[in-house]
Amino acid sequence: VLKGVMMNNFLEFYQHIPEKLSPILLDLGFIQIRYYGLMYIVAFLITLYLVKKQIKDKKLDYIKIEDIDDIFFISFLFAIIGGRFGYVLFYNLGYYIQHPIEIISPFSIYNGHIKFHGIAGMSYHGGLLGVILGLYYSARKKKINFWKITDLIAPSFPLGYTFGRIANFINNELYGRVTTSPIGMYFKTDPTHSLRHPSQLYEAFFEGIVLFVILWKLKDKKLPVGFLSGAYVFGYGLFRFFIEFFREPDPQVGFILKYFTMGQILCSVMMISGIIIMYLSKKQFFNKT
């Protein structure tokens, strides 16, 4: 009986954790410091540190440590732009065709009144495309093999991504589908107040920590140029594809072909692309580019 009571108390505490979390770390009145922004800063700095550590440890001669700051800054800007436009294109194109100013403006005008709505909605896949463009631009500018740069960054990228998903969890956003499993949680932003999969934590663990461990171990192997990049693209796509079965699809998009989400469609493209990249790297194709 005592064990049953203790288990019920634990579940009561566990399942309501998201409802007890505040997205605001510090409220100074005129400005708020939110966990969401802080987590992305932490992710950026950790990834930057790990990349610089590789350059030092491996004594790489094709890139200088001082080049990395410029490369990361440019890629960060491209990631923000790509993430925003990716969300518009992949998830809510119809709405933004009618309200184009809201793509880049936190304000909109309704019935002659200015309304602040913020800039909400970022797409990982759009952000990834932005990073790729930013890295390509940097590689051309600094005359460094593009695939060597992506191989350098790929092993560190998932760990930084982990913090982004934890931020989503704290914000009570991007939660999972309704479940009867005790692993489910209640999110205060859920209008149905249903028990749901904490899919943000699934993603943080598998797409973040697990993928990081795999790639971090692979980086010390003698692999052809481009292979690590392909492994990241394939690995993320694989983990995300299966976790999407637990994640609530965006309401404005819903399911595609009755069973699949937009995320799964995009991750299918990632998996195919990852396989192609790894195959071409084995053929030494990227040594010539």
Side-chain angles (χ1 to χ4, degrees):
V1 175
L2 181 60
K3 288 183 178 180
V5 171
M6 291 177 64
M7 179 58 69
N8 288 335
N9 289 338
F10 171 76
L11 284 177
E12 178 68 18
F13 167 76
Y14 164 80
Q15 292 178 341
H16 291 275
I17 287 176
E19 295 180 316
K20 296 178 174 64
L21 298 176
S22 170
I24 302 172
L25 173 63
L26 186 62
D27 190 344
L28 301 177
F30 63 94
I31 190 172
Q32 292 179 338
I33 299 176
R34 292 174 172 264
Y35 285 103
Y36 192 82
L38 181 63
M39 286 293 191
Y40 276 93
I41 293 174
V42 171
F44 178 86
L45 293 177
I46 286 179
T47 306
L48 181 62
Y49 166 77
L50 291 174
V51 170
K52 288 184 175 181
K53 177 176 170 56
Q54 287 188 74
I55 296 175
K56 289 180 180 179
D57 292 348
K58 294 183 177 181
K59 297 181 173 59
L60 301 178
D61 58 1
Y62 64 84
I63 191 170
K64 299 176 182 177
I65 286 183
E66 51 266 31
D67 289 333
I68 288 298
D69 293 326
D70 293 337
I71 291 172
F72 264 63
F73 178 72
I74 292 171
S75 298
F76 181 72
L77 292 179
F78 274 79
I80 294 174
I81 296 171
R84 181 56 180 163
F85 280 90
Y87 176 79
V88 171
L89 179 63
F90 299 139
Y91 292 97
N92 219 347
L93 182 59
Y95 175 83
Y96 287 105
I97 286 177
Q98 298 179 19
H99 307 86
I101 191 63
E102 293 184 25
I103 296 176
I104 57 174
S105 173
F107 299 96
S108 56
I109 300 177
Y110 291 97
N111 298 323
H113 299 285
I114 298 177
K115 180 180 179 182
F116 177 80
H117 52 72
I119 297 180
M122 297 286 283
S123 162
Y124 161 81
H125 295 92
L128 178 62
L129 289 175
V131 168
I132 291 171
L133 289 175
L135 292 177
Y136 181 77
Y137 169 80
S138 298
R140 292 292 298 271
K141 181 180 179 182
K142 296 183 180 294
K143 298 179 181 179
I144 303 172
N145 184 306
F146 167 76
W147 294 101
K148 286 185 178 180
I149 294 181
T150 57
D151 280 353
L152 181 62
I153 296 175
S156 309
F157 200 61
L159 189 60
Y161 179 78
T162 301
F163 290 91
R165 284 307 179 206
I166 292 174
N168 294 142
F169 179 76
I170 294 174
N171 270 7
N172 276 241
E173 62 188 2
L174 303 182
Y175 44 71
R177 303 182 192 183
V178 175
T179 180
T180 56
S181 169
I183 200 173
M185 292 180 168
Y186 293 101
F187 293 89
K188 56 189 172 186
T189 53
D190 174 20
T192 67
H193 197 253
S194 303
L195 198 63
R196 292 181 176 273
H197 283 287
S199 55
Q200 314 98 319
L201 299 184
Y202 301 167
E203 292 192 66
F205 181 70
F206 288 103
E207 300 162 14
I209 296 173
V210 173
L211 186 56
F212 166 74
V213 171
I214 293 172
L215 295 178
W216 197 255
K217 288 183 177 295
L218 282 176
K219 74 176 176 54
D220 295 323
K221 307 288 185 183
K222 290 185 177 180
L223 299 171
V225 176
F227 190 89
L228 270 177
S229 302
Y232 167 76
V233 172
F234 174 79
Y236 178 90
L238 179 67
F239 284 129
R240 173 76 178 268
F241 182 89
F242 286 103
I243 292 173
E244 281 281 325
F245 284 114
F246 301 96
R247 179 172 164 173
E248 182 74 7
D250 293 77
Q252 72 275 13
V253 179
F255 290 98
I256 300 172
L257 301 177
K258 295 184 179 181
Y259 301 104
F260 302 105
T261 65
M262 175 60 76
Q264 286 175 313
I265 300 300
L266 296 173
C267 284
S268 297
V269 176
M270 285 187 71
M271 286 188 283
I272 294 171
S273 299
I275 291 172
I276 293 173
I277 293 171
M278 287 187 284
Y279 172 78
L280 291 176
S281 74
K282 287 286 189 179
K283 296 292 184 180
Q284 305 294 319
F285 179 79
F286 301 125
N287 286 331
K288 308 169 188 176
T289 59

